[in-house]
Amino acid sequence: MNFLYPSFLLGLLSVSVPIAIHLFNFRRTRRVFFSNVALLRTVQTETKSFRRLKHWLILACRCLFLACLVLAFAQPFIPSKNKLGLSRQGVTSLYVDNSFSMQNERNTKRYLDIAISKLDELLTLFRNATSLQLLTNDFSVAEQQAGTAEAVRDRVTSIRFAHTPRTLETIYRRQRNLLSSLNPGGHNQLFWFSDFQKSTVGDLSRLKIDTTDRLFIVPLDAQSTKNVYVDSVWLSTPFIREMQNNSLNVKLNNAGRENVKNLPVRLYLDDTQTSTATATLAPDGSATVSLNFNVTSKGYHRGRIVFEDYPITFDNQYFFVIEASPAVRILHLYEQKSGPADRTSDYINAVYSNDSLFVRQSFSVQNFDVGQLKETDLVVLEGVTDVNGTLRTELERFVRQGGSIAIIPPTNPNSASYNPFLQTLGVGVVQTTTTVGGTPTTVPVADPDRRNPFFQDVFQQSYQSEPLNMPTAAPVWRWSSGQRLLSLRDGSPLLTQTKLSGGTTARQGSVYMLASPLATAYGNLAEHALFVPIMYKMAALSVRAQRTAYSFDDNLVTISVSNPFEKTVYKLKHDKLEIIPVQRIVGNQLQLEMPKSNELTAGQEVEAGYYELRLNDKIERLLAFNHGNQESTMSFYSADELRKIFVNQPNVEIFDSIQDGDFVQVLEQENLGKSLWKYFLIASLAFLLIEVGLVRFMKG
């Protein structure tokens, strides 16, 4: 038998007090005077041996009462067979997983509440300890200090769900850093209360626990219940316009093992429900629903996808932002510019100047700033004889970064200059055509394939099957690659689209090749009714798809900004929260590093929702941020799986489940031994009662 507080054994010296009273009884005989023998009290006689026995029994009860009371304060216990057992006097670090996945329920009780209740029971084993440290996913300043069990209890009541999941390797490193300052070189003991979600705990096979540490893993035996979350949201078209029907696609995933049938999915725009749809998802399956909507004004609109899915509710809402009628930026570079006979304007200007949707700039190819390419969606290269030098390099970079270029040839293109440029863009080799007698030979244009997505919404429904009055064109070069959009009746291409991928962005750049110049000598395509919708479609498809939302899990958020300056400071504002993230400007791209919750000041917290990108108190853009979907995946490690992972680390002990009613008792018996102080306290009270009984009832 060992004692937790052996210093209390000095109290056994108090046993000498009743012994001394018994051995040295200095009671004197008193003389009583009386006048009448009738007043004498009847005295019950007793033998000397009986009186001696009674005194010895009372002495024994008093001594045993004091001895048991002292032993109870010394807290005796029978040591456990586990040599790596707990130390109630050492430094103890307690980690409680408060990630969003702990919203899961068992018997109508949330996992976080279960973990907190078991932690409260565990603190009874350390009620006299002064070196306890509580850690959560918040990594707050308060967690860097050790305290008493009562101080930890006070902090436990304030634990809330945190949006930042932490790997267990990060948790252990944090605990080691804190404990090394509290107990340098000493033995530490750690507790982990978690559901051990596979998608967030990290690679446990790489986690090595120091041999001086004793780790107790307490899993919650989490079950893979159903949970639906939004995987992604995107627009069916690159941009939307007001007062027109638009479509939004929403991909939903079911991370659980239960079927989800006819789940209502609602679309809100500017806090008004505009559309609804239903989704059916198989276990571990996904589904895509399409929601139709229209907006009545230009600019940014706040959108939300909402559905009801219990018990995991943190991912039942997805925020996004759409911009209605964003400007399509067109850069017209020319060397030979073709226009109507009056020469007051060119064809490209005539197409794009009549719609406020387009912002067009026109420059001679010899006199333009290459920096303007950073703020351009579509480059129209018209009548340029040679493409080389800086012009070629910058245009290649522009297309690789997701831009689009429409090439309208000059009357005499230099194929030796164009071929290296076009081969880099995936078009291949072009061959110039010969002109008989110096006069171009025009050829009628064949009817387009109206099923081609490029011509969607170009022709009215009533004209889908009727023959068209097509223009004529005279090609000045020929090539064989790319997707044909228009062809001549002799089989040669007139307009093709070639997509270039593998650049620095996920978006594919496009190269539109036209076979003939726009001059009237080479046909009437530029004056035909088909020319305007073709140029419109090129511009529309050149718009970079809107990024509707961002995730807090993104290490770097890249946003396009207009006319950036190196020393400008952008801010993000959400309700009363205003933060200045780490930022840098690369070209016309603003790169932001979103702060984690532990990097903010006290009382601040990043929440899912809408954030205003501000510059000098002016709103530059509206952004939507959501929490990542790592925690939405309902897959957890079981106790047996954890044992297999830590099988070669004997200083790691894993419990079957926190659901066991005698969790703390099992922990105490296996690691602290069997505590005996309660029995000694009961014994001391029993001996006190026996003494009272002997004095009152033992009469000879």
Side-chain angles (χ1 to χ4, degrees):
M1 183 174 67
N2 293 337
F3 297 91
L4 187 59
Y5 302 106
S7 59
F8 279 98
L9 294 177
L10 294 174
L12 291 175
L13 296 176
S14 62
V15 177
S16 61
V17 176
I19 295 176
I21 295 175
H22 178 78
L23 295 178
F24 304 98
N25 189 352
F26 299 107
R27 184 174 61 184
R28 296 179 180 180
T29 302
R30 293 185 298 170
R31 181 178 295 179
V32 180
F33 297 94
F34 55 91
S35 60
N36 190 343
V37 294
L39 298 176
L40 291 174
R41 185 178 59 180
T42 302
V43 178
Q44 185 176 1
T45 60
E46 60 183 13
T47 62
K48 182 178 180 181
S49 60
F50 182 82
R51 184 172 65 249
R52 184 179 298 170
L53 175 62
K54 177 181 177 180
H55 289 172
W56 279 112
L57 289 175
I58 292 175
L59 175 63
C61 287
R62 289 174 177 173
C63 292
L64 290 173
F65 163 71
L66 292 173
C68 289
L69 187 62
V70 171
L71 291 174
F73 276 96
Q75 294 197 23
F77 63 93
I78 299 175
S80 66
K81 298 180 180 180
N82 190 347
K83 296 181 180 180
L84 295 173
L86 284 174
S87 171
R88 286 189 251 205
Q89 296 175 323
V91 179
T92 303
S93 179
L94 308 165
Y95 164 64
V96 177
D97 181 6
N98 61 334
S99 60
F100 280 139
S101 64
M102 296 286 282
Q103 288 181 351
N104 213 337
E105 293 182 356
R106 189 183 186 91
N107 298 328
T108 69
K109 195 172 183 180
R110 297 184 305 183
Y111 285 163
L112 180 61
D113 297 330
I114 295 173
I116 289 176
S117 64
K118 293 300 180 180
L119 175 61
D120 186 71
E121 294 179 17
L122 180 65
L123 290 175
T124 60
L125 300 180
F126 301 97
R127 54 188 169 275
N128 297 318
T130 58
S131 298
L132 296 174
Q133 181 252 333
L134 177 64
L135 182 69
T136 64
N137 290 349
D138 297 325
F139 282 13
S140 64
V141 177
E143 298 172 351
Q144 301 180 17
Q145 300 176 354
T148 63
E150 289 304 318
V152 171
R153 274 196 176 95
D154 292 339
R155 283 202 52 229
V156 164
T157 59
S158 64
I159 293 179
R160 298 293 182 267
F161 290 105
H163 84 281
T164 306
R166 308 283 185 181
T167 64
L168 291 182
E169 185 177 4
T170 304
I171 295 296
Y172 180 61
R173 190 185 309 115
R174 175 81 168 179
Q175 288 179 308
R176 286 287 298 172
N177 292 338
L178 297 175
L179 293 176
S180 61
S181 61
L182 298 172
N183 186 27
H187 292 271
N188 304 315
Q189 50 201 15
L190 304 90
F191 286 85
W192 289 351
F193 294 85
S194 173
D195 57 3
F196 294 94
Q197 189 177 24
K198 292 183 179 180
S199 59
T200 60
V201 297
D203 187 0
L204 297 185
S205 62
R206 299 174 52 190
L207 182 57
K208 303 299 179 184
I209 306 302
D210 193 279
T211 55
T212 60
D213 294 332
R214 180 79 169 123
L215 174 61
F216 298 90
I217 293 180
V218 190
L220 278 83
D221 192 23
Q223 303 298 319
S224 300
T225 58
K226 69 174 183 178
N227 183 45
V228 178
Y229 64 93
V230 175
D231 177 82
S232 54
V233 170
W234 71 96
L235 293 166
S236 298
T237 56
F239 66 94
I240 60 176
R241 302 191 69 173
E242 68 274 16
M243 306 306 296
Q244 291 186 2
N245 290 330
N246 302 280
S247 179
L248 183 78
N249 300 302
V250 181
K251 182 180 180 182
L252 301 170
N253 287 348
N254 179 12
R257 297 180 180 177
E258 299 179 14
N259 283 306
V260 178
K261 295 183 179 180
N262 300 324
L263 176 69
V265 181
R266 301 189 299 274
L267 168 64
Y268 287 84
L269 280 179
D270 300 323
D271 294 326
T272 301
Q273 182 175 336
T274 60
S275 184
T276 184
T278 58
T280 298
L281 300 98
D284 295 323
S286 62
T288 301
V289 297
S290 181
L291 298 164
N292 297 321
F293 68 96
N294 60 66
V295 293
T296 58
S297 61
K298 296 182 179 181
Y300 293 104
H301 296 270
R302 304 175 182 228
R304 283 184 298 140
I305 301 297
V306 181
F307 51 87
E308 302 296 334
D309 175 47
Y310 294 98
I312 306 297
T313 60
F314 76 92
D315 52 7
N316 288 2
Q317 191 168 226
Y318 188 89
F319 298 91
F320 65 93
V321 172
I322 56 175
E323 183 182 5
S325 299
V328 183
R329 299 162 298 183
I330 298 170
L331 181 62
H332 179 207
L333 302 179
Y334 61 88
E335 183 178 326
Q336 300 175 6
K337 185 165 57 172
S338 301
D342 58 10
R343 309 299 296 174
T344 57
S345 63
D346 57 81
Y347 289 120
I348 303 301
N349 177 61
V351 169
Y352 294 123
S353 61
N354 294 327
D355 197 324
S356 60
L357 179 65
F358 304 109
V359 177
R360 182 192 61 86
Q361 290 181 300
S362 185
F363 298 95
S364 170
V365 75
Q366 276 82 20
N367 186 25
F368 88 102
D369 184 4
V370 295
Q372 292 173 320
L373 291 173
K374 298 177 181 179
E375 301 179 8
T376 299
D377 297 307
L378 172 66
V379 172
V380 179
L381 191 68
E382 181 185 7
V384 178
T385 305
D386 298 301
V387 179
N388 48 37
T390 304
L391 176 64
R392 172 187 167 183
T393 303
E394 294 300 325
L395 289 178
E396 289 175 355
R397 180 184 293 117
F398 170 74
V399 177
R400 283 196 299 268
Q401 293 178 347
S404 296
I405 181 173
I407 302 176
I408 302 173
T411 55
N412 294 303
N414 185 352
S415 59
S417 172
Y418 267 98
N419 276 328
F421 171 62
L422 296 177
Q423 286 178 348
T424 303
L425 300 182
V427 178
V429 178
V430 296
Q431 297 178 345
T432 57
T433 60
T434 58
T435 302
V436 179
T439 302
T441 303
T442 59
V443 180
V445 178
D447 285 358
D449 183 1
R450 305 179 201 189
R451 297 170 298 177
N452 192 315
F454 182 85
F455 293 103
Q456 184 179 2
D457 301 329
V458 171
F459 302 103
Q460 295 182 8
Q461 190 69 27
S462 58
Y463 291 95
Q464 286 292 331
S465 58
E466 294 185 6
L468 300 176
N469 178 21
M470 299 300 293
T472 59
V476 296
W477 54 17
R478 298 178 186 273
W479 66 100
S480 58
S481 61
Q483 178 188 8
R484 290 200 182 188
L485 304 178
L486 289 174
S487 299
L488 299 175
R489 290 187 180 177
D490 62 2
S492 60
L494 176 63
L495 177 65
T496 64
Q497 179 187 20
T498 303
K499 294 184 178 181
L500 180 67
S501 60
T504 57
T505 63
R507 173 178 166 80
Q508 293 180 319
S510 293
V511 180
Y512 296 95
M513 288 281 293
L514 193 63
S516 65
L518 298 183
T520 55
Y522 291 83
N524 62 344
L525 175 63
E527 297 177 347
H528 194 272
L530 187 62
F531 181 68
V532 173
I534 286 177
M535 299 305 295
Y536 271 32
K537 291 293 289 189
M538 287 184 189
L541 296 176
S542 300
V543 176
R544 290 164 173 81
Q546 293 187 29
R547 180 74 180 267
T548 57
Y550 298 86
S551 172
F552 287 118
D553 290 349
D554 295 336
N555 294 327
L556 200 64
V557 174
T558 302
I559 304 167
S560 297
V561 292
S562 301
N563 302 318
F565 297 96
E566 292 184 0
K567 296 184 179 181
T568 54
V569 177
Y570 290 87
K571 299 179 181 179
L572 286 175
K573 188 176 186 302
H574 171 69
D575 293 337
K576 296 182 180 179
L577 175 66
E578 186 173 86
I579 56 178
I580 302 177
V582 178
Q583 56 191 272
R584 59 180 176 271
I585 294 177
V586 180
N588 66 328
Q589 304 292 317
L590 173 64
Q591 297 180 346
L592 302 176
E593 296 181 17
M594 290 298 293
K596 305 300 181 183
S597 58
N598 60 300
E599 298 173 348
L600 300 174
T601 58
Q604 290 185 330
E605 182 179 358
V606 287
E607 299 178 346
Y610 310 106
Y611 285 74
E612 297 173 351
L613 181 67
R614 289 176 168 263
L615 178 62
N616 300 326
D617 294 329
K618 179 183 177 183
I619 301 176
E620 294 288 319
R621 287 195 62 176
L622 185 64
L623 308 173
F625 281 90
N626 297 280
H627 298 299
N629 54 26
Q630 278 185 308
E631 293 185 81
S632 298
T633 305
M634 297 292 105
S635 181
F636 311 92
Y637 283 108
S638 65
D640 291 336
E641 290 175 322
L642 292 172
R643 286 192 184 92
K644 292 179 182 179
I645 294 173
F646 294 99
V647 65
N648 295 322
Q649 301 190 56
N651 56 329
V652 178
E653 183 173 345
I654 301 167
F655 290 87
D656 286 328
S657 174
I658 199 175
Q659 306 296 332
D660 296 336
D662 57 351
F663 158 71
V664 176
Q665 290 76 7
V666 172
L667 176 67
E668 183 178 14
Q669 292 177 8
E670 292 184 355
N671 297 279
L672 287 172
K674 186 170 182 60
S675 181
L676 304 176
W677 67 273
K678 295 180 182 179
Y679 303 104
F680 280 95
L681 182 61
I682 295 173
S684 66
L685 295 175
F687 286 122
L688 181 61
L689 292 174
I690 292 173
E691 178 191 353
V692 173
L694 289 173
V695 172
R696 184 168 183 176
F697 301 108
M698 191 174 181
K699 298 178 181 180

